[in-house]
Structures are given as structure tokens and as C-alpha cells.
Amino acid sequence: MPEAEELIVEALSSYGIPPAASRNLIQRARRKNGLGDRPEDWVRLMEGPLLAEIQNVIPIFRMGGAYAEALRVLKGRLPAPAPAPEAPRPRTAYRLTEPEGRKRLLADLAREEGVFGVALLSPGRAELRFPGAGPHLPPMLYAAHRMVAKRRPYRLAYVLVKDAQVFLRPLGEYVVTVVAKRGANLGRILARLAELGLEGGQG
């Protein structure tokens, strides 16, 4: 990286070190320490090996002034660190064979922003957390599941109705159904349903 070397040479000239001498010091420090030509190698060079070489010539030399400024510029050229990979989100498992497990699932999903209500449906059976829902609602929601499943087996689906979004997620013997307002976060609810699992098995 010739520009890095020139930056250091220029900084050292302010201390009265001639360019040829500066280049000799730089090359000697690089050879001794096997440093390459990456930005991080030049930073390491200035922070240690080159500083030692200069202090062999000028014992009172300190890392300040023009030298510190050149180091700051080189550090500004370092590549940004790669973001840490996001840990996979753990599956949230529920024991739907037990009333407490079903109750916990309904309560957890009902807390999602924009959700009107949640239902756990199976043929001839429904458990709801849905304020104001009438008896006609579970058969309508199960009919929506039947309509989607008739086209092809599915893992996750949603249906738009007049004022709401209906989300469907088969889970074991049940169909988890979430009804949310039109403006609810579609991606968030789909992701939340996709992570559901059954304790003791895969959902």
C-alpha cells in the first residue's frame, strides 16, 4: 500500500527524518515482523515494530503529533468489522396435549401487536382467546383452513378478508389461527408462527 508508506514518510519528515531514512526504517520493521500490505498490517507496524525502530535512532521519540495523526488516518481505512452472525431463533415449543400448553400458546400469540384474537382448531373442537367472538367464528376459521389445504398441503398461510388478516398454521392435530388487523406486521406474525413447535416432536 504505497500511500500508507508515503503517509508515514511525510509524518516522519516533521521530526527531521529524511525520506530515504524513513523508508529504510519502514522496510526493516516490515521484514523483521513479516507484515503484509493490508491496512491492518500498516496499523500494527506503526503501533509497534516501526515505533521500536525509530526509538533505536531517536530514543526520546514518542507516538504523538504527526505520527499519531498518520496512525489515526490509517485506522480510518480499516475495513468495518463483519457483523456477528445472528443466532438462530429458538423454536417455541408447546405441549398441546395439555390444557396449560394450549392456554400458554393462545396467550403468547394474543400478545402480538395488532392481533384481535387467536384460536386453536381441530375437527369439532375449538379453544379461543378472542374477545367478543361468536359461536359462528370457529367454523368459519376452520373452513378457511380447509379451503387452503384443499389446494395443497401447507405449513403456513394467510388470507385477507375485509378488515383483517387471517393467519393459519397447522400444528400437530390443531390449526393455529391468528386474526390481526390489516395494518399488523405481516412478516412479524408469519415469523412468529413459523417458529412454533410441539414439545416432544416437530410441528
Side-chain angles (χ1 to χ4, degrees), residues 86-94 104 108-109 112 155 169 188 190-199 201-202:
E86 187 175 341
R89 190 171 182 175
R91 287 170 62 88
T92 306
Y94 298 87
R104 185 166 65 91
D108 287 352
L109 292 177
E112 290 292 326
R155 184 169 182 269
R169 166 75 156 98
R188 163 69 190 174
L190 288 173
R192 183 72 180 83
L193 289 172
E195 73 175 3
L196 297 179
L198 294 172
E199 285 189 6
Q202 298 295 315

Side-chain angles (χ1 to χ4, degrees), residues 61-199:
F61 186 87
R62 296 291 178 268
M63 191 189 293
Y67 191 89
E69 177 60 21
L71 178 58
R72 186 190 67 77
V73 171
L74 286 179
K75 283 185 174 179
R77 297 176 182 174
L78 291 175
E86 187 175 341
R89 190 171 182 175
R91 287 170 62 88
T92 306
Y94 298 87
R95 191 176 295 277
L96 299 186
T97 55
E98 297 178 0
E100 279 304 311
R102 298 193 296 272
K103 182 178 177 181
R104 185 166 65 91
L105 171 59
L106 292 169
D108 287 352
L109 292 177
R111 280 195 289 267
E112 290 292 326
E113 187 176 353
V115 170
F116 293 141
V118 188
L120 261 179
L121 309 173
S122 62
R125 182 177 177 183
E127 294 183 46
L128 285 77
R129 191 182 178 100
F130 207 126
H136 64 284
L137 183 64
M140 286 177 57
L141 294 176
Y142 199 74
H145 154 69
R146 295 278 303 271
M147 178 184 70
V148 175
K150 189 174 181 180
R151 297 173 187 168
R152 59 188 169 121
Y154 73 96
R155 184 169 182 269
L156 196 58
Y158 78 101
V159 179
L160 293 176
V161 295
K162 184 178 179 183
D163 298 313
Q165 303 175 92
V166 178
F167 299 84
L168 304 165
R169 166 75 156 98
L171 192 62
E173 65 183 275
Y174 292 93
V175 178
V176 181
T177 307
V178 175
V179 181
K181 64 182 180 181
R182 278 288 193 120
N185 189 324
L186 172 67
R188 163 69 190 174
I189 297 175
L190 288 173
R192 183 72 180 83
L193 289 172
E195 73 175 3
L196 297 179
L198 294 172
E199 285 189 6

Side-chain angles (χ1 to χ4, degrees), residues 50-73:
L50 179 58
L51 190 62
E53 291 292 334
I54 297 169
Q55 288 172 339
N56 286 336
V57 179
I58 311 173
I60 62 170
F61 186 87
R62 296 291 178 268
M63 191 189 293
Y67 191 89
E69 177 60 21
L71 178 58
R72 186 190 67 77
V73 171

Side-chain angles (χ1 to χ4, degrees), residues 8-23:
I8 298 170
V9 168
E10 184 179 346
L12 294 180
S13 68
S14 67
Y15 300 95
I17 302 176
S22 295
R23 290 189 175 91

Side-chain angles (χ1 to χ4, degrees), residues 15-58:
Y15 300 95
I17 302 176
S22 295
R23 290 189 175 91
N24 285 337
L25 290 170
I26 292 168
Q27 293 307 316
R28 190 183 311 152
R30 291 184 68 193
R31 279 198 306 272
K32 283 183 180 179
N33 293 274
L35 293 173
D37 203 32
R38 300 170 303 172
E40 52 266 40
D41 291 325
W42 286 96
V43 168
R44 286 177 56 201
L45 180 80
M46 289 193 73
E47 287 181 333
L50 179 58
L51 190 62
E53 291 292 334
I54 297 169
Q55 288 172 339
N56 286 336
V57 179
I58 311 173

